[in-house]
C-alpha cells in the first residue's frame, strides 16, 4: 500500500534503508576482510622444505622461508675476513677481488652468530599478501616478483617487518632485547651467502660459482632452451647452493642494499651511483654465470622509477648493532683495545720503570696524551691524525697476523692427518715385509722390492715429519699464545660448520703440541708422529 503522507513515507523509507544497511554491513565486512585465511600449500612458500629452514608467517595464511648464515663470533668488534669479487679481467673495474668483512646479528651459541637470508626470491604470492587484499593461491604466484623498483622492494621489507612486529614478534630472533628487521641484503651479505659461506671449503669459496655436484642446469636458470627458455621460472624448482638457497644465481637479478661503486683494487671507489643487482637472470648466458657479477642499474629511466621483468629480490633479517646498553659498553671497551701496541720496556728486575719507559708501553695512548697537551690547534689535529693512522696500521697488522695464525693451524691439522695416514701405512708395510721375509727369505725378489719401496716410504715420512716439526717451531716463534688460542677457537668453529669433524681431532692435536712446545721448547718428533698416528687409527 502506498503511503500518502510524505513525512510518514520518508520515515518508513529511512527505517527500511537503515535496516537494510544494518543487515548488509556484516556481509560486506565478511566479504571485504581477509579474515583468518587457510594456510598456503607448501609449494607456494617452501617447495623444497629442508632441515634448518626457519619459517616466518605472513598475512593471508602465507609464509616465507629463511636460512641461517653462520659466522664465527670473536667478540662485538671482531668480524670475519673474506675476499669477494672475481678474476675476470674484462670486469675487473667492478669485480676485482678485494678484502671484506662480515659478522652475524644474532647469537647461535657462544662461538657463532648468524643472520637470516631468504631461502627463495620473494614470489608474487608473498608480495601480494602484504598488499590491499589476499589473493587465492595460484601456480603463477610461485614466480619471483619482478617489475618492482628498489624503493618498492625496501617498502615491502618495511611492511613485512611491521606486520611481524605486530602479529608474530615472538617468532623473531633477537639481539638482546632488539628484534630482527627485514631489508635488502648488503653486497657482502649476499655474496657470502651466494658462495656458500662456511658450508664450503676455503679453497672452493673463491671459485667462479658455488660447488655443484651436477651440471649447472640443475642449479641455475640461465639463457637457452635447455634452461630458462627466455622467461622467469617458479621458485625452488632447482637444486640449492650449499647453504640451502635456491635460485641465488640466475632466474631474476637480485637487488641489494648499497649503491653501486667502482672497484679500486683493494677497496671500492668513493663515488656512489645507482643500485646494484647480483646473480644474473634468465637471459644471462651460461658462460657468464658467476657469483662475482655486479651490475649498476639507474634508479630512474626516462623520468620513471626503473622496473624490469628480469629483476627481483630476496630479503635478509638482521638487528641493530647497538642493541642494548650492555652491548654499547662492550663495543666501547673493544674500541679502546683496537690498535693498542704494548711494547714491553726493559727494566731490571725489581726496579720501577721511568715515566718515559711507561709511555712506551702504548705509543698510541702516548700520542693522545701529547696531542691533548699541545697548545696549537693545528698541531693538535695533526697529532690526532697520526694517532688514528697508527691505530689503523697496527690493527691491520694484527688482523693479518690473526689470519696467518689460523692458516698455520689449519696447515698443521692437514699435515698431522697426512702424517698419521703415512705413518700407519709405513707400519703396515713393515709388518708385511717381516712376514714375507719369514716365509720366503731375505733374498726373495719380492722381499727386496718391498724393502726398497719401504725405504722410500720411510724417507718421505721422515721428510714430512721434519716439515711438520718446522711448522711447530715457526708458529711458536711468530705467534703469541693468546693469538693462537683465539684463532684455534675460530678454526674449530669453521671446521664444525663445514662438517669437517674428522679434521677436528688433528687440529686439536697440532694445537696442543704447539702450545706444549711453547711452554717447553723440546723437539719431540717421534711423539708428535705417534700422536697423529693414534688419531688415524680411530
Amino acid at each position: 500500500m502506498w503511503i500518502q503522507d510524505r513525512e510518514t513515507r520518508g520515515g518508513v523509507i529511512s527505517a527500511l534503508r537503515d535496516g537494510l544497511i544494518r543487515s548488509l554491513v556484516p556481509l560486506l565486512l565478511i566479504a571485504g576482510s581477509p579474515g583468518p585465511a587457510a594456510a598456503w600449500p607448501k609449494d607456494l612458500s617452501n617447495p623444497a622444505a629442508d632441515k634448518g629452514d626457519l619459517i616466518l608467517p605472513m598475512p593471508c595464511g602465507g609464509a616465507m622461508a629463511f636460512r641461517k648464515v653462520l659466522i664465527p663470533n670473536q667478540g662485538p668488534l671482531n668480524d670475519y675476513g673474506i675476499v669477494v669479487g672475481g678474476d675476470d679481467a674484462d670486469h675487473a673495474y667492478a669485480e676485482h677481488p678485494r678484502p671484506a668483512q662480515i659478522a652475524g646479528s644474532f647469537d647461535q651459541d657462544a662461538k657463532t652468530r648468524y643472520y637470516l637470508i631468504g631461502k627463495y626470491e620473494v614470489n608474487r604470492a608473498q608480495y601480494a599478501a602484504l598488499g590491499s587484499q589476499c589473493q587465492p593461491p595460484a601456480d603463477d604466484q610461485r614466480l619471483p616478483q619482478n617489475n618492482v623498483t628498489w624503493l618498492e622492494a625496501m617498502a615491502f621489507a618495511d611492511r613485512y617487518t611491521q606486520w611481524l612486529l605486530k602479529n608474530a614478534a615472538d617468532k623473531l630472533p633477537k639481539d638482546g632485547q632488539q628484534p630482527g628487521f627485514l631489508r635488502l641484503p648488503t653486497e657482502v651479505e649476499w655474496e657470502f651467502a651466494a658462495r656458500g659461506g662456511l658450508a664450503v671449503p676455503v679453497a672452493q669459496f673463491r671459485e667462479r660459482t658455488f660447488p655443484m655436484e651436477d651440471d649447472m642446469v640443475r642449479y641455475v636458470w640461465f639463457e637457452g632452451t635447455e634452461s630458462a627458455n627466455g622467461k622467469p621460472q617458479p621458485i625452488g624448482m632447482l637444486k640449492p647452493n650449499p647453504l640451502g638457497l635456491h635460485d641465488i644465481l640466475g632466474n631474476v637479478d637480485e637487488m641489494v642494499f648499497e649503491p653501486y661503486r667502482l672497484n679500486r683494487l683493494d677497496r671500492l671507489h668513493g663515488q656512489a651511483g645507482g643500485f646494484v643487482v647480483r646473480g644474473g637472470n634468465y637471459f644471462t648466458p651460461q658462460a657468464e654465470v658467476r657469483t662475482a657479477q655486479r651490475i649498476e642499474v639507474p634508479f630512474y629511466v626516462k623520468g620513471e622509477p626503473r622496473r624490469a621483468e628480469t629483476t627481483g629480490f630476496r630479503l635478509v633479517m638482521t638487528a641493530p648493532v647497538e642493541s642494548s646498553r650492555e652491548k654499547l659498553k662492550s663495543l666501547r671497551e673493544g674500541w679502546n683495545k683496537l690498535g693498542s701496541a704494548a711494547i714491553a720496556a726493559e727494566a731490571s728486575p725489581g726496579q720501577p720503570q721511568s715515566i718515559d719507559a711507561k709511555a712506551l708501553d702504548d705509543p698510541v695512548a702516548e700520542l693522545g696524551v701529547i696531542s691533548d697537551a699541545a697548545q696549537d690547534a693545528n698541531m693538535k689535529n695533526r697529532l690526532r691524525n697520526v694517532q688514528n693512522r697508527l691505530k689503523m696500521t697496527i690493527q691491520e697488522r694484527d688482523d693479518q697476523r690473526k689470519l696467518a695464525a689460523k692458516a698455520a693451524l689449519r696447515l698443521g691439522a692437514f699435515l698431522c692427518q697426512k702424517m698419521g695416514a703415512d705413518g700407519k701405512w709405513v707400519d703396515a708395510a713393515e709388518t708385511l715385509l717381516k712376514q714375507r721375509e719369514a716365509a720366503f727369505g731375505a733374498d726373495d725378489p719380492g722381499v727386496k722390492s718391498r724393502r726398497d719401496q719401504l725405504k722410500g716410504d720411510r724417507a718421505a715420512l721422515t721428510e714430512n715429519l721434519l716439515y711438520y716439526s718446522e711448522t711447530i717451531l715457526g708458529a711458536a716463534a711468530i705467534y703469541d699464545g693468546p693469538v693462537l688460542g683465539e684463532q684455534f677457537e675460530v678454526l674449530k668453529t669453521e671446521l664444525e660448520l663445514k662438517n669437517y669433524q674428522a679434521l677436528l681431532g688433528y687440529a686439536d692435536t697440532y694445537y696442543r703440541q704447539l702450545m706444549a712446545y711453547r711452554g717447553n721448547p723440546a723437539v719431540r718428533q717421534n711423539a708428535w708422529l705417534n700422536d697423529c698416528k693414534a688419531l688415524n687409527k680411530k
Side-chain angles (χ1 to χ4, degrees), residues 127 148-161 181-185 255-257 313 315:
Y127 195 80
V148 294
T149 71
W150 185 91
L151 289 172
E152 287 171 344
M154 288 293 289
F156 173 82
D158 172 57
R159 292 197 303 274
Y160 190 12
T161 299
F181 64 91
L182 293 162
R183 56 167 168 76
L184 294 177
M255 294 182 276
V256 295
F257 188 69
F313 64 101
L315 300 178

Side-chain angles (χ1 to χ4, degrees), residues 194-248:
R195 291 184 178 277
L198 295 180
V200 302
V202 174
Q204 293 180 310
F205 183 84
R206 293 279 301 115
E207 293 295 328
R208 189 175 179 86
T209 67
F210 58 81
M212 300 179 185
E213 297 178 354
D214 209 338
D215 293 336
M216 184 183 289
V217 71
R218 304 296 183 189
Y219 298 85
V220 181
W221 294 114
F222 52 82
E223 180 187 52
T225 54
E226 77 278 21
S227 184
N229 198 26
K231 56 186 179 181
Q233 301 296 322
I235 63 166
M237 298 284 286
L238 302 180
K239 292 183 177 182
N241 83 342
L243 280 182
L245 305 178
H246 292 261
D247 308 319
I248 194 74

Side-chain angles (χ1 to χ4, degrees), residues 68-126:
K68 290 182 178 180
V69 183
L70 301 175
I71 302 166
N73 177 27
Q74 300 173 258
L77 271 180
N78 287 326
D79 43 25
Y80 187 71
I82 60 174
V83 175
V84 297
D87 299 318
D88 290 82
D90 291 342
H91 306 283
Y93 62 92
E95 302 172 10
H96 186 78
R98 62 180 176 85
Q101 290 73 37
I102 193 166
S105 293
F106 311 103
D107 285 331
Q108 172 78 1
D109 51 46
K111 300 185 296 183
T112 314
R113 283 168 69 82
Y114 68 92
Y115 63 93
L116 293 173
I117 187 167
K119 183 176 178 178
Y120 312 95
E121 294 158 334
V122 173
N123 66 25
R124 293 181 180 179
Q126 291 165 331

